[in-house]
Amino acid sequence: MRNPQLTSDGKLKHLLTIDGLPRNILNQILDTAESFVGVAEREVKKVPLLRGKTVCNIFFENSTRTRTTFEIAAKRLSADVINLNVNTSSQAKGETIMDTIDNLTAMHADMFVIRHAQSGAAHFIAQHVEPHIHVINAGDGRHAHPTQGLLDVFTVRRYKPDMHNLRVAIIGDVLHSRVARSEIHALTTLGVPEVRVIAPKTLLPAHVEKLGVHVYHDMKEGLKDVDVIMMLRLQNERMNGALLPSAQEYFKCFGLTQEKLAYAKPDAIVMHPGPMNRGVEIDSAVADGSQSVILPQVTYGIAVRMAVMSILAGNS
Ligand code: CP
């Protein structure tokens, strides 16, 4: 079956998930992002690649990093940017999501960046928009957060360029995490040989090993000799029922402290997609410590999102 996010000649039309995207497209995005890192260092932080285009950010769920970096990225590409405030839009009066999209299309929108609590929302919109419009999934339910996965592997590649010789551990609430799924697909597609997940059994999806990961339930064993540590937030808003005894007990067993960090390689980097629950999944001493690359991740998100939008616009 044809991948719905690719054109008939294999180019990126929408970005909905990393699952099924070929390695050459991931590398095209990462290499293009590399060329945009320097734009932030210029006095005039703009390139004209999206001049005359209109990008609509529609976030049905809260966001700090993703929404803001998409806006900065679109502006650096010289696009006109609309940030639809869903709470004050006609959605609040009962308008359907597709009627909202159709109305913004009538205003000549060229690209939609969508965050939604329901898995599949961005796919649904991509199936219904006019052929010249591009859709980017900015996080849908527990399904996918492809630009987060891409910015995470971009960060890994910057600090640990030999991707074919890495051990990566993803720690925490994999069950509810769209970020974890996108990270796993990106890392395995790019040829990282060993991806581990470390979590209590209650926070792992059934048959998670089918994604190509090694499963650990103990931080000492799981962190041994890893190069990259990717922490995950406890997604309390997506949990049905009590999956953990308490946040304190979780921190004791799975929270990343300096003591547990010492199990990894001495030059291991620590990542977190944010927002962080300090004292729940990560200790402040680690989050703000010398091995943390959590804020550079955010900065690289701009270059990666510029890359995605410019590639999509170039494939119109
Ligand atoms: N990582 C991430 O998606 O953060 P926001 O929810 O702030 O966008």
Side-chain angles (χ1 to χ4, degrees):
M1 203 176 76
R2 197 170 69 75
N3 188 325
Q5 52 192 343
L6 300 180
T7 61
S8 54
D9 56 352
K11 291 183 178 159
L12 198 63
K13 160 93 179 134
H14 306 290
L15 180 62
L16 307 175
T17 172
I18 297 176
D19 188 10
L21 275 191
R23 188 186 291 196
N24 68 308
I25 290 198
L26 297 194
N27 279 327
Q28 180 194 14
I29 295 168
L30 300 184
D31 293 343
T32 307
E34 202 67 57
S35 74
F36 286 131
V37 170
V39 172
E41 283 145 27
R42 294 187 201 160
E43 197 172 317
V44 179
K45 298 179 179 53
K46 275 199 191 274
V47 289
L49 293 168
L50 259 67
R51 191 156 59 198
K53 303 282 185 195
T54 301
V55 175
C56 288
N57 285 326
I58 310 179
F59 279 59
F60 295 92
E61 252 190 8
N62 296 340
S63 169
T64 297
R65 283 144 287 269
T66 312
R67 201 204 62 72
T68 311
T69 53
F70 262 114
E71 180 175 353
I72 294 170
K75 286 179 171 169
R76 289 201 180 153
L77 292 167
S78 308
D80 296 317
V81 184
I82 307 295
N83 294 307
L84 189 74
N85 183 340
V86 173
N87 294 328
T88 56
S89 77
S90 292
Q91 286 276 323
K93 298 179 194 162
E95 183 170 78
T96 67
I97 188 165
M98 274 321 299
D99 279 334
T100 301
I101 296 290
D102 287 345
N103 278 272
L104 292 166
T105 301
M107 299 172 208
H108 303 293
D110 298 288
M111 211 174 273
F112 290 109
V113 179
I114 306 287
R115 170 168 289 190
H116 203 285
Q118 293 296 324
S119 298
H123 274 84
F124 175 75
I125 292 167
Q127 279 169 345
H128 289 87
V129 289
E130 292 179 11
H132 67 280
I133 290 179
H134 305 282
V135 177
I136 302 174
N137 181 5
D140 63 328
R142 61 169 83 174
H143 169 240
H145 192 349
T147 56
Q148 181 71 48
L150 286 163
L151 77 88
D152 290 344
V153 290
F154 183 80
T155 307
V156 171
R157 203 175 78 153
R158 280 228 136 200
Y159 285 90
K160 306 279 177 191
D162 186 6
M163 301 277 281
H164 299 283
N165 194 20
L166 286 183
R167 264 189 213 103
V168 178
I170 300 172
I171 302 169
D173 184 4
V174 181
L175 179 63
H176 302 98
S177 176
R178 55 195 177 208
V179 173
R181 282 165 184 73
S182 293
E183 288 171 340
I184 292 167
H185 290 307
L187 291 164
T188 53
T189 303
L190 290 169
V192 171
E194 191 172 339
V195 181
R196 303 176 179 179
V197 292
I198 313 175
K201 284 182 185 156
T202 50
L203 293 182
L204 285 172
H207 312 300
V208 66
E209 60 285 345
K210 287 191 177 160
L211 295 174
V213 297
H214 303 262
V215 178
Y216 291 83
H217 304 296
D218 177 85
M219 289 285 267
K220 188 171 183 180
E221 287 172 21
L223 282 172
K224 187 171 162 39
D225 294 333
V226 304
D227 303 278
V228 177
I229 300 171
M230 294 175 157
M231 300 306 297
L232 298 172
R233 182 173 66 86
L234 274 188
Q235 325 262 311
N236 290 310
E237 74 277 18
R238 292 190 203 123
M239 287 189 196
N240 294 320
L243 297 176
L244 298 166
S246 69
Q248 290 84 351
E249 185 67 18
Y250 180 79
F251 182 68
K252 198 169 129 201
C253 297
F254 294 96
L256 190 63
T257 56
Q258 294 280 20
E259 191 190 13
K260 294 193 195 98
L261 178 57
Y263 300 138
K265 285 189 180 168
D267 63 346
I269 56 169
V270 176
M271 303 173 62
H272 193 303
M276 283 187 281
N277 292 311
R278 290 170 184 263
V280 177
E281 67 255 358
I282 191 164
D283 190 47
S284 280
V286 177
D288 304 326
S290 60
Q291 288 169 260
S292 169
V293 298
I294 292 169
L295 292 177
Q297 275 178 269
V298 177
T299 307
Y300 291 141
I302 299 171
V304 169
R305 289 172 174 130
M306 286 173 79
V308 169
M309 287 193 277
S310 65
I311 290 168
L312 291 175
N315 292 342
S316 291

